[in-house]
Amino acid sequence: SKRALDAIGAELTKLRSVPVWDESHPIEYDEAIEKYPDAHFARIFSIVGIKHWEELDENNHVYKGRIVFGGDNIKDGAGEWAFFSNLTSTPASMLAARCAIAISGLLKNHIMKQSDCVAAYVQALLKSLGVKTFVSLPKRWWPENWVRKFKRPVVELLRALYGHPRAGELWFDKLTCRVIELVE
């Protein structure tokens, strides 16, 4: 679908402009695992959602392209599963927090407000994890100068990306620091 590809293209352009990964320093996968054996290796890929898909008039459909981190398949340089300890939030605790906020909004003299952050996760840097993370890009996204030069290039992921096991925690830490700065 042209509209789906355009939505992915727009997302790709946006993430490259941040930049979310370091496309200017690609390295062959085999060289990266030799040089950084403790690093994490995964892939990124695209997904597309269609807002208002249930409407019969396709002109009302809004295609949303997202580029995500393959958090279900992260390996280290030895090919072993990457290990993440002390994950700070679970879906169950997040749901409980949302319920508590919603209930408090029902109390007399309480006001509830909700906000959404645009591109929240990519505002948080990955370097705080202490471990380099490399990603492979789909061949279709390779810059022209990679095509004959690389067999299996990877690039360092610089920022949290949806799908990374620690993305929510990194965003929370960034937001917490910013709120404290504003309060002080």
Side-chain angles (χ1 to χ4, degrees), residues 82-175:
F83 179 72
F84 296 90
S85 62
N86 299 328
L87 292 178
T88 57
S89 65
T90 63
S93 65
M94 293 177 74
L95 179 61
R98 286 187 185 112
C99 289
I101 291 168
I103 290 169
S104 72
L106 296 172
L107 298 174
K108 187 176 181 175
N109 297 324
H110 283 217
I111 297 172
M112 186 173 78
K113 293 184 180 182
Q114 181 175 332
S115 174
D116 190 12
C117 296
V118 177
Y121 286 172
V122 298
Q123 295 177 36
L125 295 171
L126 273 184
K127 68 182 176 183
S128 63
L129 292 179
V131 142
K132 283 187 178 290
T133 300
F134 290 92
V135 293
S136 59
L137 306 177
K139 205 167 197 173
R140 173 181 208 137
W141 299 349
W142 289 14
E144 188 64 36
N145 63 336
W146 288 15
V147 175
R148 288 181 178 74
K149 186 176 180 181
F150 292 100
K151 185 173 98 177
R152 188 176 175 194
V154 293
V155 293
E156 186 176 357
L157 188 65
L158 303 173
R159 296 178 174 273
L161 194 58
Y162 185 82
H164 190 287
R166 304 291 290 269
E169 175 186 354
L170 292 169
W171 164 242
F172 177 80
D173 290 347
K174 166 127 178 119
L175 181 62

Side-chain angles (χ1 to χ4, degrees), residues 56-74:
L56 295 177
D57 184 357
E58 290 188 17
N59 292 321
N60 293 329
H61 295 176
V62 178
Y63 285 71
K64 300 290 283 182
R66 291 292 177 251
I67 294 174
V68 299
F69 181 85
D72 63 331
N73 191 9
I74 309 167

Side-chain angles (χ1 to χ4, degrees), residues 1-13 48 63-65:
S1 158
K2 180 177 177 355
R3 290 174 71 187
L5 290 173
D6 288 348
I8 293 165
E11 178 76 354
L12 182 59
T13 299
V48 176
Y63 285 71
K64 300 290 283 182

